[in-house]
PDB file of all heavy atoms in Angstrom:
ATOM      1  N   VAL Y 184      -2.272   3.020  10.537  1.00 91.00           N
ATOM      2  CA  VAL Y 184      -1.343   1.861  10.180  1.00 91.00           C
ATOM      3  C   VAL Y 184      -0.563   1.412  11.471  1.00 91.00           C
ATOM      4  O   VAL Y 184      -0.363   0.200  11.606  1.00 91.00           O
ATOM      5  CB  VAL Y 184      -0.364   2.255   9.072  1.00 91.00           C
ATOM      6  CG1 VAL Y 184      -1.089   2.421   7.819  1.00 91.00           C
ATOM      7  CG2 VAL Y 184       0.496   3.466   9.414  1.00 91.00           C
ATOM      8  N   THR Y 185      -0.228   2.358  12.344  1.00 91.00           N
ATOM      9  CA  THR Y 185       0.464   1.878  13.572  1.00 91.00           C
ATOM     10  C   THR Y 185      -0.440   1.068  14.466  1.00 91.00           C
ATOM     11  O   THR Y 185       0.017   0.142  15.104  1.00 91.00           O
ATOM     12  CB  THR Y 185       1.099   3.057  14.325  1.00 91.00           C
ATOM     13  OG1 THR Y 185       0.111   4.020  14.622  1.00 91.00           O
ATOM     14  CG2 THR Y 185       2.225   3.713  13.481  1.00 91.00           C
ATOM     15  N   SER Y 186      -1.695   1.467  14.533  1.00 91.00           N
ATOM     16  CA  SER Y 186      -2.642   0.727  15.443  1.00 91.00           C
ATOM     17  C   SER Y 186      -2.895  -0.695  14.904  1.00 91.00           C
ATOM     18  O   SER Y 186      -3.259  -1.570  15.691  1.00 91.00           O
ATOM     19  CB  SER Y 186      -3.953   1.491  15.594  1.00 91.00           C
ATOM     20  OG  SER Y 186      -4.596   1.542  14.367  1.00 91.00           O
ATOM     21  N   ARG Y 187      -2.638  -0.919  13.628  1.00 93.00           N
ATOM     22  CA  ARG Y 187      -2.747  -2.269  13.090  1.00 93.00           C
ATOM     23  C   ARG Y 187      -1.434  -3.069  13.229  1.00 93.00           C
ATOM     24  O   ARG Y 187      -1.458  -4.247  12.999  1.00 93.00           O
ATOM     25  CB  ARG Y 187      -3.139  -2.168  11.583  1.00 93.00           C
ATOM     26  CG  ARG Y 187      -4.508  -1.747  11.325  1.00 93.00           C
ATOM     27  CD  ARG Y 187      -4.788  -1.704   9.840  1.00 93.00           C
ATOM     28  NE  ARG Y 187      -5.251  -2.992   9.399  1.00 93.00           N
ATOM     29  CZ  ARG Y 187      -6.217  -3.146   8.535  1.00 93.00           C
ATOM     30  NH1 ARG Y 187      -6.858  -2.070   8.009  1.00 93.00           N
ATOM     31  NH2 ARG Y 187      -6.572  -4.382   8.136  1.00 93.00           N
ATOM     32  N   GLY Y 188      -0.405  -2.387  13.634  1.00 94.00           N
ATOM     33  CA  GLY Y 188       0.879  -3.076  13.854  1.00 94.00           C
ATOM     34  C   GLY Y 188       1.847  -2.993  12.701  1.00 94.00           C
ATOM     35  O   GLY Y 188       2.810  -3.653  12.684  1.00 94.00           O
ATOM     36  N   MET Y 189       1.503  -2.208  11.728  1.00 95.00           N
ATOM     37  CA  MET Y 189       2.398  -2.063  10.595  1.00 95.00           C
ATOM     38  C   MET Y 189       3.752  -1.457  10.983  1.00 95.00           C
ATOM     39  O   MET Y 189       3.813  -0.640  11.978  1.00 95.00           O
ATOM     40  CB  MET Y 189       1.749  -1.276   9.473  1.00 95.00           C
ATOM     41  CG  MET Y 189       0.567  -1.931   8.846  1.00 95.00           C
ATOM     42  SD  MET Y 189      -0.109  -1.078   7.518  1.00 95.00           S
ATOM     43  CE  MET Y 189      -1.595  -1.963   7.170  1.00 95.00           C
ATOM     44  N   ARG Y 190       4.783  -1.779  10.301  1.00 95.00           N
ATOM     45  CA  ARG Y 190       6.148  -1.378  10.617  1.00 95.00           C
ATOM     46  C   ARG Y 190       6.636  -0.359   9.623  1.00 95.00           C
ATOM     47  O   ARG Y 190       5.989  -0.117   8.593  1.00 95.00           O
ATOM     48  CB  ARG Y 190       7.032  -2.677  10.584  1.00 95.00           C
ATOM     49  CG  ARG Y 190       6.559  -3.837  11.336  1.00 95.00           C
ATOM     50  CD  ARG Y 190       6.526  -3.712  12.840  1.00 95.00           C
ATOM     51  NE  ARG Y 190       7.862  -3.359  13.269  1.00 95.00           N
ATOM     52  CZ  ARG Y 190       8.149  -2.682  14.331  1.00 95.00           C
ATOM     53  NH1 ARG Y 190       7.249  -2.217  15.123  1.00 95.00           N
ATOM     54  NH2 ARG Y 190       9.405  -2.384  14.657  1.00 95.00           N
ATOM     55  N   PRO Y 191       7.795   0.238   9.885  1.00 94.00           N
ATOM     56  CA  PRO Y 191       8.331   1.239   8.974  1.00 94.00           C
ATOM     57  C   PRO Y 191       8.501   0.710   7.536  1.00 94.00           C
ATOM     58  O   PRO Y 191       8.199   1.469   6.586  1.00 94.00           O
ATOM     59  CB  PRO Y 191       9.707   1.545   9.603  1.00 94.00           C
ATOM     60  CG  PRO Y 191       9.531   1.329  11.047  1.00 94.00           C
ATOM     61  CD  PRO Y 191       8.574   0.106  11.101  1.00 94.00           C
ATOM     62  N   GLU Y 192       8.869  -0.512   7.302  1.00 96.00           N
ATOM     63  CA  GLU Y 192       8.990  -0.995   5.961  1.00 96.00           C
ATOM     64  C   GLU Y 192       7.604  -1.065   5.250  1.00 96.00           C
ATOM     65  O   GLU Y 192       7.517  -0.837   4.034  1.00 96.00           O
ATOM     66  CB  GLU Y 192       9.636  -2.343   5.898  1.00 96.00           C
ATOM     67  CG  GLU Y 192       8.948  -3.522   6.711  1.00 96.00           C
ATOM     68  CD  GLU Y 192       9.411  -3.552   8.154  1.00 96.00           C
ATOM     69  OE1 GLU Y 192      10.123  -2.659   8.721  1.00 96.00           O
ATOM     70  OE2 GLU Y 192       9.017  -4.567   8.806  1.00 96.00           O
ATOM     71  N   ASP Y 193       6.510  -1.265   6.007  1.00 97.00           N
ATOM     72  CA  ASP Y 193       5.194  -1.215   5.404  1.00 97.00           C
ATOM     73  C   ASP Y 193       4.824   0.210   5.028  1.00 97.00           C
ATOM     74  O   ASP Y 193       4.156   0.438   4.006  1.00 97.00           O
ATOM     75  CB  ASP Y 193       4.143  -1.788   6.421  1.00 97.00           C
ATOM     76  CG  ASP Y 193       4.441  -3.223   6.787  1.00 97.00           C
ATOM     77  OD1 ASP Y 193       4.612  -4.047   5.880  1.00 97.00           O
ATOM     78  OD2 ASP Y 193       4.427  -3.488   7.970  1.00 97.00           O
ATOM     79  N   MET Y 194       5.227   1.163   5.840  1.00 95.00           N
ATOM     80  CA  MET Y 194       4.902   2.583   5.549  1.00 95.00           C
ATOM     81  C   MET Y 194       5.732   3.059   4.335  1.00 95.00           C
ATOM     82  O   MET Y 194       5.223   3.835   3.550  1.00 95.00           O
ATOM     83  CB  MET Y 194       5.220   3.403   6.786  1.00 95.00           C
ATOM     84  CG  MET Y 194       4.262   3.129   7.928  1.00 95.00           C
ATOM     85  SD  MET Y 194       4.556   4.167   9.304  1.00 95.00           S
ATOM     86  CE  MET Y 194       3.699   3.208  10.564  1.00 95.00           C
ATOM     87  N   LYS Y 195       6.927   2.418   4.109  1.00 96.00           N
ATOM     88  CA  LYS Y 195       7.669   2.766   2.892  1.00 96.00           C
ATOM     89  C   LYS Y 195       6.911   2.271   1.674  1.00 96.00           C
ATOM     90  O   LYS Y 195       6.887   2.888   0.673  1.00 96.00           O
ATOM     91  CB  LYS Y 195       9.063   2.237   2.991  1.00 96.00           C
ATOM     92  CG  LYS Y 195       9.995   2.898   3.926  1.00 96.00           C
ATOM     93  CD  LYS Y 195      11.326   2.264   3.947  1.00 96.00           C
ATOM     94  CE  LYS Y 195      12.193   2.939   5.008  1.00 96.00           C
ATOM     95  NZ  LYS Y 195      13.544   2.319   5.138  1.00 96.00           N
ATOM     96  N   ARG Y 196       6.339   1.095   1.790  1.00 98.00           N
ATOM     97  CA  ARG Y 196       5.511   0.505   0.686  1.00 98.00           C
ATOM     98  C   ARG Y 196       4.350   1.408   0.396  1.00 98.00           C
ATOM     99  O   ARG Y 196       4.003   1.717  -0.806  1.00 98.00           O
ATOM    100  CB  ARG Y 196       5.023  -0.896   0.996  1.00 98.00           C
ATOM    101  CG  ARG Y 196       6.130  -1.882   1.061  1.00 98.00           C
ATOM    102  CD  ARG Y 196       5.636  -3.299   1.402  1.00 98.00           C
ATOM    103  NE  ARG Y 196       4.772  -3.758   0.298  1.00 98.00           N
ATOM    104  CZ  ARG Y 196       3.934  -4.797   0.501  1.00 98.00           C
ATOM    105  NH1 ARG Y 196       3.753  -5.401   1.591  1.00 98.00           N
ATOM    106  NH2 ARG Y 196       3.193  -5.209  -0.578  1.00 98.00           N
ATOM    107  N   ILE Y 197       3.649   1.889   1.431  1.00 97.00           N
ATOM    108  CA  ILE Y 197       2.506   2.776   1.243  1.00 97.00           C
ATOM    109  C   ILE Y 197       2.966   4.088   0.550  1.00 97.00           C
ATOM    110  O   ILE Y 197       2.288   4.566  -0.333  1.00 97.00           O
ATOM    111  CB  ILE Y 197       1.799   3.045   2.578  1.00 97.00           C
ATOM    112  CG1 ILE Y 197       1.215   1.727   3.184  1.00 97.00           C
ATOM    113  CG2 ILE Y 197       0.721   4.171   2.431  1.00 97.00           C
ATOM    114  CD1 ILE Y 197       0.776   1.805   4.577  1.00 97.00           C
ATOM    115  N   ALA Y 198       4.066   4.650   0.988  1.00 97.00           N
ATOM    116  CA  ALA Y 198       4.611   5.831   0.325  1.00 97.00           C
ATOM    117  C   ALA Y 198       4.888   5.589  -1.061  1.00 97.00           C
ATOM    118  O   ALA Y 198       4.589   6.428  -1.974  1.00 97.00           O
ATOM    119  CB  ALA Y 198       5.872   6.268   1.073  1.00 97.00           C
ATOM    120  N   GLY Y 199       5.395   4.425  -1.431  1.00 98.00           N
ATOM    121  CA  GLY Y 199       5.627   4.026  -2.804  1.00 98.00           C
ATOM    122  C   GLY Y 199       4.375   3.972  -3.638  1.00 98.00           C
ATOM    123  O   GLY Y 199       4.353   4.341  -4.812  1.00 98.00           O
ATOM    124  N   TRP Y 200       3.296   3.444  -3.044  1.00 98.00           N
ATOM    125  CA  TRP Y 200       1.992   3.389  -3.730  1.00 98.00           C
ATOM    126  C   TRP Y 200       1.471   4.814  -4.012  1.00 98.00           C
ATOM    127  O   TRP Y 200       0.923   5.075  -5.045  1.00 98.00           O
ATOM    128  CB  TRP Y 200       1.046   2.592  -2.943  1.00 98.00           C
ATOM    129  CG  TRP Y 200       1.408   1.104  -2.800  1.00 98.00           C
ATOM    130  CD1 TRP Y 200       2.076   0.347  -3.701  1.00 98.00           C
ATOM    131  CD2 TRP Y 200       1.065   0.228  -1.732  1.00 98.00           C
ATOM    132  NE1 TRP Y 200       2.223  -0.919  -3.248  1.00 98.00           N
ATOM    133  CE2 TRP Y 200       1.616  -1.038  -2.013  1.00 98.00           C
ATOM    134  CE3 TRP Y 200       0.409   0.445  -0.485  1.00 98.00           C
ATOM    135  CZ2 TRP Y 200       1.483  -2.104  -1.174  1.00 98.00           C
ATOM    136  CZ3 TRP Y 200       0.296  -0.641   0.349  1.00 98.00           C
ATOM    137  CH2 TRP Y 200       0.806  -1.892   0.003  1.00 98.00           C
ATOM    138  N   ILE Y 201       1.575   5.719  -3.017  1.00 98.00           N
ATOM    139  CA  ILE Y 201       1.204   7.067  -3.237  1.00 98.00           C
ATOM    140  C   ILE Y 201       1.963   7.667  -4.335  1.00 98.00           C
ATOM    141  O   ILE Y 201       1.367   8.337  -5.264  1.00 98.00           O
ATOM    142  CB  ILE Y 201       1.342   7.876  -1.908  1.00 98.00           C
ATOM    143  CG1 ILE Y 201       0.418   7.365  -0.820  1.00 98.00           C
ATOM    144  CG2 ILE Y 201       1.138   9.398  -2.168  1.00 98.00           C
ATOM    145  CD1 ILE Y 201       0.586   7.922   0.542  1.00 98.00           C
ATOM    146  N   ALA Y 202       3.261   7.480  -4.386  1.00 98.00           N
ATOM    147  CA  ALA Y 202       4.072   8.039  -5.454  1.00 98.00           C
ATOM    148  C   ALA Y 202       3.688   7.452  -6.843  1.00 98.00           C
ATOM    149  O   ALA Y 202       3.584   8.174  -7.827  1.00 98.00           O
ATOM    150  CB  ALA Y 202       5.546   7.755  -5.190  1.00 98.00           C
ATOM    151  N   ARG Y 203       3.366   6.173  -6.767  1.00 98.00           N
ATOM    152  CA  ARG Y 203       2.963   5.489  -8.008  1.00 98.00           C
ATOM    153  C   ARG Y 203       1.658   6.055  -8.544  1.00 98.00           C
ATOM    154  O   ARG Y 203       1.487   6.244  -9.793  1.00 98.00           O
ATOM    155  CB  ARG Y 203       2.825   3.960  -7.824  1.00 98.00           C
ATOM    156  CG  ARG Y 203       2.452   3.224  -9.034  1.00 98.00           C
ATOM    157  CD  ARG Y 203       2.463   1.744  -8.787  1.00 98.00           C
ATOM    158  NE  ARG Y 203       2.007   1.015 -10.015  1.00 98.00           N
ATOM    159  CZ  ARG Y 203       1.755  -0.254 -10.038  1.00 98.00           C
ATOM    160  NH1 ARG Y 203       1.853  -0.988  -8.985  1.00 98.00           N
ATOM    161  NH2 ARG Y 203       1.342  -0.764 -11.201  1.00 98.00           N
ATOM    162  N   LEU Y 204       0.700   6.335  -7.630  1.00 98.00           N
ATOM    163  CA  LEU Y 204      -0.577   6.907  -8.098  1.00 98.00           C
ATOM    164  C   LEU Y 204      -0.434   8.326  -8.614  1.00 98.00           C
ATOM    165  O   LEU Y 204      -1.161   8.794  -9.467  1.00 98.00           O
ATOM    166  CB  LEU Y 204      -1.614   6.783  -6.947  1.00 98.00           C
ATOM    167  CG  LEU Y 204      -2.082   5.334  -6.808  1.00 98.00           C
ATOM    168  CD1 LEU Y 204      -2.737   5.167  -5.377  1.00 98.00           C
ATOM    169  CD2 LEU Y 204      -3.059   4.967  -7.857  1.00 98.00           C
ATOM    170  N   ILE Y 205       0.606   9.028  -8.042  1.00 98.00           N
ATOM    171  CA  ILE Y 205       0.862  10.431  -8.572  1.00 98.00           C
ATOM    172  C   ILE Y 205       1.398  10.255  -9.989  1.00 98.00           C
ATOM    173  O   ILE Y 205       0.946  10.974 -10.906  1.00 98.00           O
ATOM    174  CB  ILE Y 205       1.884  11.099  -7.630  1.00 98.00           C
ATOM    175  CG1 ILE Y 205       1.199  11.476  -6.302  1.00 98.00           C
ATOM    176  CG2 ILE Y 205       2.373  12.406  -8.315  1.00 98.00           C
ATOM    177  CD1 ILE Y 205       2.154  11.988  -5.268  1.00 98.00           C
ATOM    178  N   ARG Y 206       2.438   9.420 -10.157  1.00 98.00           N
ATOM    179  CA  ARG Y 206       3.080   9.252 -11.437  1.00 98.00           C
ATOM    180  C   ARG Y 206       2.251   8.611 -12.541  1.00 98.00           C
ATOM    181  O   ARG Y 206       2.216   9.151 -13.646  1.00 98.00           O
ATOM    182  CB  ARG Y 206       4.366   8.405 -11.285  1.00 98.00           C
ATOM    183  CG  ARG Y 206       5.539   9.081 -10.669  1.00 98.00           C
ATOM    184  CD  ARG Y 206       6.792   8.218 -10.820  1.00 98.00           C
ATOM    185  NE  ARG Y 206       6.590   6.832 -10.525  1.00 98.00           N
ATOM    186  CZ  ARG Y 206       6.727   6.209  -9.330  1.00 98.00           C
ATOM    187  NH1 ARG Y 206       7.054   6.930  -8.280  1.00 98.00           N
ATOM    188  NH2 ARG Y 206       6.483   4.926  -9.181  1.00 98.00           N
ATOM    189  N   GLU Y 207       1.551   7.569 -12.200  1.00 98.00           N
ATOM    190  CA  GLU Y 207       0.888   6.742 -13.193  1.00 98.00           C
ATOM    191  C   GLU Y 207      -0.631   7.056 -13.356  1.00 98.00           C
ATOM    192  O   GLU Y 207      -1.230   6.650 -14.295  1.00 98.00           O
ATOM    193  CB  GLU Y 207       1.048   5.279 -12.928  1.00 98.00           C
ATOM    194  CG  GLU Y 207       2.484   4.785 -12.965  1.00 98.00           C
ATOM    195  CD  GLU Y 207       2.664   3.322 -12.578  1.00 98.00           C
ATOM    196  OE1 GLU Y 207       1.700   2.528 -12.779  1.00 98.00           O
ATOM    197  OE2 GLU Y 207       3.753   2.996 -12.106  1.00 98.00           O
ATOM    198  N   GLY Y 208      -1.160   7.762 -12.409  1.00 97.00           N
ATOM    199  CA  GLY Y 208      -2.558   8.134 -12.517  1.00 97.00           C
ATOM    200  C   GLY Y 208      -3.522   6.967 -12.295  1.00 97.00           C
ATOM    201  O   GLY Y 208      -3.239   5.956 -11.608  1.00 97.00           O
ATOM    202  N   ASP Y 209      -4.674   7.078 -12.926  1.00 97.00           N
ATOM    203  CA  ASP Y 209      -5.791   6.150 -12.736  1.00 97.00           C
ATOM    204  C   ASP Y 209      -5.422   4.741 -13.146  1.00 97.00           C
ATOM    205  O   ASP Y 209      -5.980   3.820 -12.577  1.00 97.00           O
ATOM    206  CB  ASP Y 209      -7.025   6.603 -13.506  1.00 97.00           C
ATOM    207  CG  ASP Y 209      -7.650   7.891 -12.959  1.00 97.00           C
ATOM    208  OD1 ASP Y 209      -7.291   8.263 -11.800  1.00 97.00           O
ATOM    209  OD2 ASP Y 209      -8.432   8.453 -13.640  1.00 97.00           O
ATOM    210  N   GLU Y 210      -4.440   4.531 -14.068  1.00 98.00           N
ATOM    211  CA  GLU Y 210      -4.068   3.205 -14.471  1.00 98.00           C
ATOM    212  C   GLU Y 210      -3.482   2.358 -13.303  1.00 98.00           C
ATOM    213  O   GLU Y 210      -3.484   1.173 -13.399  1.00 98.00           O
ATOM    214  CB  GLU Y 210      -3.138   3.267 -15.593  1.00 98.00           C
ATOM    215  CG  GLU Y 210      -3.678   3.875 -16.897  1.00 98.00           C
ATOM    216  CD  GLU Y 210      -3.714   5.343 -16.852  1.00 98.00           C
ATOM    217  OE1 GLU Y 210      -2.910   6.038 -16.172  1.00 98.00           O
ATOM    218  OE2 GLU Y 210      -4.670   5.941 -17.468  1.00 98.00           O
ATOM    219  N   ALA Y 211      -2.925   3.073 -12.325  1.00 98.00           N
ATOM    220  CA  ALA Y 211      -2.342   2.319 -11.236  1.00 98.00           C
ATOM    221  C   ALA Y 211      -3.344   2.029 -10.054  1.00 98.00           C
ATOM    222  O   ALA Y 211      -2.983   1.206  -9.165  1.00 98.00           O
ATOM    223  CB  ALA Y 211      -1.192   3.200 -10.641  1.00 98.00           C
ATOM    224  N   ILE Y 212      -4.577   2.448 -10.199  1.00 98.00           N
ATOM    225  CA  ILE Y 212      -5.499   2.220  -9.059  1.00 98.00           C
ATOM    226  C   ILE Y 212      -5.727   0.790  -8.742  1.00 98.00           C
ATOM    227  O   ILE Y 212      -5.590   0.325  -7.667  1.00 98.00           O
ATOM    228  CB  ILE Y 212      -6.880   2.959  -9.354  1.00 98.00           C
ATOM    229  CG1 ILE Y 212      -6.650   4.471  -9.324  1.00 98.00           C
ATOM    230  CG2 ILE Y 212      -7.901   2.484  -8.331  1.00 98.00           C
ATOM    231  CD1 ILE Y 212      -7.812   5.299  -9.717  1.00 98.00           C
ATOM    232  N   GLU Y 213      -6.098   0.013  -9.812  1.00 98.00           N
ATOM    233  CA  GLU Y 213      -6.447  -1.439  -9.539  1.00 98.00           C
ATOM    234  C   GLU Y 213      -5.251  -2.216  -9.013  1.00 98.00           C
ATOM    235  O   GLU Y 213      -5.379  -2.943  -8.047  1.00 98.00           O
ATOM    236  CB  GLU Y 213      -6.978  -2.044 -10.808  1.00 98.00           C
ATOM    237  CG  GLU Y 213      -8.329  -1.550 -11.229  1.00 98.00           C
ATOM    238  CD  GLU Y 213      -9.365  -1.716 -10.096  1.00 98.00           C
ATOM    239  OE1 GLU Y 213      -9.381  -2.815  -9.453  1.00 98.00           O
ATOM    240  OE2 GLU Y 213     -10.206  -0.874  -9.917  1.00 98.00           O
ATOM    241  N   PRO Y 214      -4.015  -2.146  -9.624  1.00 98.00           N
ATOM    242  CA  PRO Y 214      -2.906  -2.868  -9.048  1.00 98.00           C
ATOM    243  C   PRO Y 214      -2.576  -2.454  -7.647  1.00 98.00           C
ATOM    244  O   PRO Y 214      -2.171  -3.290  -6.777  1.00 98.00           O
ATOM    245  CB  PRO Y 214      -1.745  -2.708 -10.043  1.00 98.00           C
ATOM    246  CG  PRO Y 214      -2.195  -1.679 -11.028  1.00 98.00           C
ATOM    247  CD  PRO Y 214      -3.684  -1.506 -10.859  1.00 98.00           C
ATOM    248  N   VAL Y 215      -2.617  -1.156  -7.379  1.00 98.00           N
ATOM    249  CA  VAL Y 215      -2.248  -0.689  -6.059  1.00 98.00           C
ATOM    250  C   VAL Y 215      -3.279  -1.138  -5.063  1.00 98.00           C
ATOM    251  O   VAL Y 215      -2.989  -1.651  -3.966  1.00 98.00           O
ATOM    252  CB  VAL Y 215      -2.091   0.847  -6.058  1.00 98.00           C
ATOM    253  CG1 VAL Y 215      -2.091   1.366  -4.536  1.00 98.00           C
ATOM    254  CG2 VAL Y 215      -0.869   1.285  -6.758  1.00 98.00           C
ATOM    255  N   ARG Y 216      -4.579  -1.091  -5.398  1.00 98.00           N
ATOM    256  CA  ARG Y 216      -5.597  -1.579  -4.520  1.00 98.00           C
ATOM    257  C   ARG Y 216      -5.434  -3.031  -4.129  1.00 98.00           C
ATOM    258  O   ARG Y 216      -5.539  -3.416  -2.993  1.00 98.00           O
ATOM    259  CB  ARG Y 216      -7.006  -1.421  -5.145  1.00 98.00           C
ATOM    260  CG  ARG Y 216      -8.087  -1.846  -4.176  1.00 98.00           C
ATOM    261  CD  ARG Y 216      -9.507  -1.717  -4.612  1.00 98.00           C
ATOM    262  NE  ARG Y 216      -9.715  -1.577  -6.031  1.00 98.00           N
ATOM    263  CZ  ARG Y 216     -10.597  -0.736  -6.528  1.00 98.00           C
ATOM    264  NH1 ARG Y 216     -11.357  -0.018  -5.806  1.00 98.00           N
ATOM    265  NH2 ARG Y 216     -10.771  -0.675  -7.866  1.00 98.00           N
ATOM    266  N   ALA Y 217      -5.039  -3.863  -5.079  1.00 98.00           N
ATOM    267  CA  ALA Y 217      -4.805  -5.301  -4.807  1.00 98.00           C
ATOM    268  C   ALA Y 217      -3.652  -5.393  -3.793  1.00 98.00           C
ATOM    269  O   ALA Y 217      -3.751  -6.252  -2.885  1.00 98.00           O
ATOM    270  CB  ALA Y 217      -4.489  -6.023  -6.115  1.00 98.00           C
ATOM    271  N   GLU Y 218      -2.607  -4.648  -3.950  1.00 98.00           N
ATOM    272  CA  GLU Y 218      -1.498  -4.689  -3.038  1.00 98.00           C
ATOM    273  C   GLU Y 218      -1.856  -4.197  -1.600  1.00 98.00           C
ATOM    274  O   GLU Y 218      -1.439  -4.733  -0.617  1.00 98.00           O
ATOM    275  CB  GLU Y 218      -0.306  -3.921  -3.530  1.00 98.00           C
ATOM    276  CG  GLU Y 218       0.297  -4.593  -4.767  1.00 98.00           C
ATOM    277  CD  GLU Y 218       1.510  -3.834  -5.331  1.00 98.00           C
ATOM    278  OE1 GLU Y 218       2.445  -3.503  -4.505  1.00 98.00           O
ATOM    279  OE2 GLU Y 218       1.589  -3.540  -6.505  1.00 98.00           O
ATOM    280  N   VAL Y 219      -2.655  -3.118  -1.592  1.00 98.00           N
ATOM    281  CA  VAL Y 219      -3.130  -2.582  -0.340  1.00 98.00           C
ATOM    282  C   VAL Y 219      -3.982  -3.643   0.430  1.00 98.00           C
ATOM    283  O   VAL Y 219      -3.775  -3.810   1.605  1.00 98.00           O
ATOM    284  CB  VAL Y 219      -3.994  -1.281  -0.534  1.00 98.00           C
ATOM    285  CG1 VAL Y 219      -4.680  -0.848   0.736  1.00 98.00           C
ATOM    286  CG2 VAL Y 219      -3.086  -0.215  -1.051  1.00 98.00           C
ATOM    287  N   LEU Y 220      -4.860  -4.294  -0.298  1.00 97.00           N
ATOM    288  CA  LEU Y 220      -5.750  -5.281   0.338  1.00 97.00           C
ATOM    289  C   LEU Y 220      -4.891  -6.439   0.891  1.00 97.00           C
ATOM    290  O   LEU Y 220      -5.121  -6.988   1.973  1.00 97.00           O
ATOM    291  CB  LEU Y 220      -6.788  -5.812  -0.633  1.00 97.00           C
ATOM    292  CG  LEU Y 220      -7.850  -4.787  -1.027  1.00 97.00           C
ATOM    293  CD1 LEU Y 220      -8.751  -5.346  -2.065  1.00 97.00           C
ATOM    294  CD2 LEU Y 220      -8.628  -4.383   0.207  1.00 97.00           C
ATOM    295  N   ALA Y 221      -3.807  -6.848   0.126  1.00 98.00           N
ATOM    296  CA  ALA Y 221      -2.939  -7.951   0.598  1.00 98.00           C
ATOM    297  C   ALA Y 221      -2.194  -7.533   1.877  1.00 98.00           C
ATOM    298  O   ALA Y 221      -2.079  -8.325   2.765  1.00 98.00           O
ATOM    299  CB  ALA Y 221      -1.977  -8.304  -0.481  1.00 98.00           C
ATOM    300  N   LEU Y 222      -1.779  -6.282   1.913  1.00 97.00           N
ATOM    301  CA  LEU Y 222      -1.073  -5.781   3.106  1.00 97.00           C
ATOM    302  C   LEU Y 222      -2.073  -5.759   4.310  1.00 97.00           C
ATOM    303  O   LEU Y 222      -1.716  -6.195   5.422  1.00 97.00           O
ATOM    304  CB  LEU Y 222      -0.518  -4.407   2.885  1.00 97.00           C
ATOM    305  CG  LEU Y 222       0.235  -3.748   4.089  1.00 97.00           C
ATOM    306  CD1 LEU Y 222       1.389  -4.515   4.502  1.00 97.00           C
ATOM    307  CD2 LEU Y 222       0.523  -2.247   3.729  1.00 97.00           C
ATOM    308  N   CYS Y 223      -3.217  -5.261   4.098  1.00 96.00           N
ATOM    309  CA  CYS Y 223      -4.227  -5.220   5.198  1.00 96.00           C
ATOM    310  C   CYS Y 223      -4.577  -6.603   5.694  1.00 96.00           C
ATOM    311  O   CYS Y 223      -4.930  -6.706   6.817  1.00 96.00           O
ATOM    312  CB  CYS Y 223      -5.442  -4.472   4.707  1.00 96.00           C
ATOM    313  SG  CYS Y 223      -5.181  -2.663   4.517  1.00 96.00           S
ATOM    314  N   GLU Y 224      -4.638  -7.586   4.875  1.00 96.00           N
ATOM    315  CA  GLU Y 224      -4.896  -8.985   5.339  1.00 96.00           C
ATOM    316  C   GLU Y 224      -3.809  -9.443   6.301  1.00 96.00           C
ATOM    317  O   GLU Y 224      -4.073 -10.242   7.154  1.00 96.00           O
ATOM    318  CB  GLU Y 224      -4.953  -9.916   4.075  1.00 96.00           C
ATOM    319  CG  GLU Y 224      -6.276  -9.804   3.350  1.00 96.00           C
ATOM    320  CD  GLU Y 224      -6.322 -10.657   2.092  1.00 96.00           C
ATOM    321  OE1 GLU Y 224      -5.486 -11.628   1.977  1.00 96.00           O
ATOM    322  OE2 GLU Y 224      -7.270 -10.453   1.291  1.00 96.00           O
ATOM    323  N   ARG Y 225      -2.602  -8.962   6.083  1.00 96.00           N
ATOM    324  CA  ARG Y 225      -1.456  -9.354   6.956  1.00 96.00           C
ATOM    325  C   ARG Y 225      -1.643  -8.727   8.334  1.00 96.00           C
ATOM    326  O   ARG Y 225      -1.039  -9.213   9.270  1.00 96.00           O
ATOM    327  CB  ARG Y 225      -0.079  -9.017   6.378  1.00 96.00           C
ATOM    328  CG  ARG Y 225       0.211  -9.847   5.152  1.00 96.00           C
ATOM    329  CD  ARG Y 225       1.554  -9.599   4.565  1.00 96.00           C
ATOM    330  NE  ARG Y 225       2.572  -9.117   5.406  1.00 96.00           N
ATOM    331  CZ  ARG Y 225       3.443  -8.122   5.114  1.00 96.00           C
ATOM    332  NH1 ARG Y 225       3.344  -7.540   3.917  1.00 96.00           N
ATOM    333  NH2 ARG Y 225       4.296  -7.733   5.951  1.00 96.00           N
ATOM    334  N   TYR Y 226      -2.345  -7.597   8.431  1.00 95.00           N
ATOM    335  CA  TYR Y 226      -2.512  -6.847   9.641  1.00 95.00           C
ATOM    336  C   TYR Y 226      -4.060  -6.652   9.875  1.00 95.00           C
ATOM    337  O   TYR Y 226      -4.509  -5.506   9.718  1.00 95.00           O
ATOM    338  CB  TYR Y 226      -1.818  -5.504   9.618  1.00 95.00           C
ATOM    339  CG  TYR Y 226      -0.332  -5.610   9.366  1.00 95.00           C
ATOM    340  CD1 TYR Y 226       0.285  -5.443   8.110  1.00 95.00           C
ATOM    341  CD2 TYR Y 226       0.532  -5.833  10.490  1.00 95.00           C
ATOM    342  CE1 TYR Y 226       1.616  -5.571   8.011  1.00 95.00           C
ATOM    343  CE2 TYR Y 226       1.883  -5.936  10.370  1.00 95.00           C
ATOM    344  CZ  TYR Y 226       2.469  -5.803   9.088  1.00 95.00           C
ATOM    345  OH  TYR Y 226       3.829  -5.863   8.938  1.00 95.00           O
ATOM    346  N   PRO Y 227      -4.714  -7.670  10.319  1.00 91.00           N
ATOM    347  CA  PRO Y 227      -6.147  -7.483  10.515  1.00 91.00           C
ATOM    348  C   PRO Y 227      -6.527  -6.486  11.587  1.00 91.00           C
ATOM    349  O   PRO Y 227      -5.696  -6.290  12.483  1.00 91.00           O
ATOM    350  CB  PRO Y 227      -6.641  -8.905  10.867  1.00 91.00           C
ATOM    351  CG  PRO Y 227      -5.489  -9.640  11.353  1.00 91.00           C
ATOM    352  CD  PRO Y 227      -4.277  -9.001  10.695  1.00 91.00           C
TER     353      PRO Y 227
END
């Protein structure tokens, strides 16, 4: 993530997604994946 130029606030979002996948399980995979892809588009 740092080599792509992501910032601490982006890492907080990633940590939130990890926590969400722990709490919500498989149901969270699709929505989290969409958010991950959107973040990666901002940092090609």
